[in-house]
Amino acid sequence: MPILRTLLLAAAQNRWLRDHASHYGFVRRTVSRFMPGESLDEALAAAQKLRSRNIGAVFTHLGENIADSEEAAQVTAHYLDALGRIHGAPGDSLPMEISVKLTQLGLDLDLELCFENLQKIIARETQDAVVWIDMESSEYVERTLAIYRHAKSSYLNVGICLQAYLHRTKNDIAGLLPLRPAIRLVKGAYNEPPQVAFAHKADVDNNYFLLGQEMLQAQKAGTCLRAAFGTHDVALIRRLAEYATSLGIPVQNFEVQMLYGIQRAEQERLANAGCRSAVLVAYGTFWYPWFVRRLAERPANLWFMLRNLFAI
């Protein structure tokens, strides 16, 4: 793993940096590239602009590892309110969905408490939209999958995020297919040891493509409800799109989800081509660890922040 990525991922967990980074103007200017603002109002406004370009939105309220059940209840209430506003927003039938972290719903406190909070959110969502469950660091994979399986036994409209850099993900996909899951595949953004995750980018990219092929085959066979690809790697997207076409998957069923503010031209190209193009719109005040992981994913993001350091 490159030293720069290692340092950034360590910085993402640093409490002092988290508490102080938001006070620096150059940091806030950089963050604004990746999120439209800290409020739900700002996130909804950004989603409406995306709609005008035929691009969907997936909202995520930033936060993780809460240590109090009352705070978990507040997060749940926020998402319930957000769903009401999302589905009350004007516009056509383009999807606006949500993506949640289970540690924000109480996973560190109690498995059942976390599931109860998640269940309230899924029950509030419409049946034609998915509640996505984010995957966090490797220590949470088993518990996250257990909660997903529990939720999937009662609800169709729940999806799971899996990480291509983990050695175990191939087996996890195979184990989930009997449930007809919705899967969003990402590369992975946590600091993991080599016995758990691929250490080299080329290996991660290769595994991503192999897993993506398996997901598309399962989608074609009807054993994967939705195969969504969460990546900004244009070459990888085009390889997967070509493979989907070779399987006879209609273009409108090929789905890519990107982060707000990254690869905007590619987002629009996919939408214009008829693909299902969506953007993850993050908002909230607890943005520091999420933001630093974005810097670790792509060195170009770090150089963008450094340019802001010297901006007038």
Side-chain angles (χ1 to χ4, degrees), residues 61-128:
H61 182 228
L62 296 174
E64 54 195 65
N65 297 110
I66 64 95
D68 180 81
S69 59
E70 180 56 35
E71 186 178 353
Q74 291 171 4
V75 171
T76 304
H78 171 85
Y79 272 118
L80 295 176
D81 177 65
L83 284 171
R85 296 189 60 192
I86 288 167
H87 296 307
D92 54 23
S93 59
L94 271 177
M96 290 202 294
E97 300 176 326
I98 63 170
S99 190
V100 303
K101 277 185 166 58
L102 293 186
T103 63
Q104 200 183 17
L105 299 181
L107 184 58
D108 288 326
L109 302 173
D110 181 76
L111 204 68
E112 193 57 38
L113 169 70
C114 179
F115 178 76
E116 289 173 2
N117 288 330
L118 176 67
Q119 187 176 35
K120 292 174 185 176
I121 294 169
I122 300 171
R124 181 69 176 270
E125 181 60 280
T126 62
Q127 287 299 307
D128 58 351

Side-chain angles (χ1 to χ4, degrees), residues 228-246:
F229 300 103
T231 180
H232 308 101
D233 188 329
V234 174
L236 187 54
I237 290 168
R238 297 191 183 196
R239 289 177 69 197
L240 287 167
E242 290 172 0
Y243 186 73
T245 299
S246 74

Side-chain angles (χ1 to χ4, degrees), residues 151-195:
K152 199 70 172 66
S153 66
S154 300
Y155 300 96
L156 293 175
N157 61 327
V158 57
I160 186 73
C161 177
L162 297 178
Q163 299 161 325
Y165 71 167
L166 296 181
H167 298 302
R168 61 172 293 163
T169 300
K170 178 180 175 65
N171 290 334
D172 288 336
I173 290 175
L176 290 174
L177 290 182
L179 303 178
R180 293 190 71 238
I183 299 174
R184 177 173 74 225
L185 184 66
V186 301
K187 290 188 178 181
Y190 292 86
N191 194 7
E192 302 289 0
Q195 63 268 28

Side-chain angles (χ1 to χ4, degrees), residues 30-36 260-262 282 290-291 295 301 304:
T30 309
V31 172
S32 68
R33 173 176 178 166
F34 305 109
M35 53 184 282
Y260 179 87
I262 302 180
W290 175 88
F291 164 66
L295 296 181
N301 295 338
F304 178 78

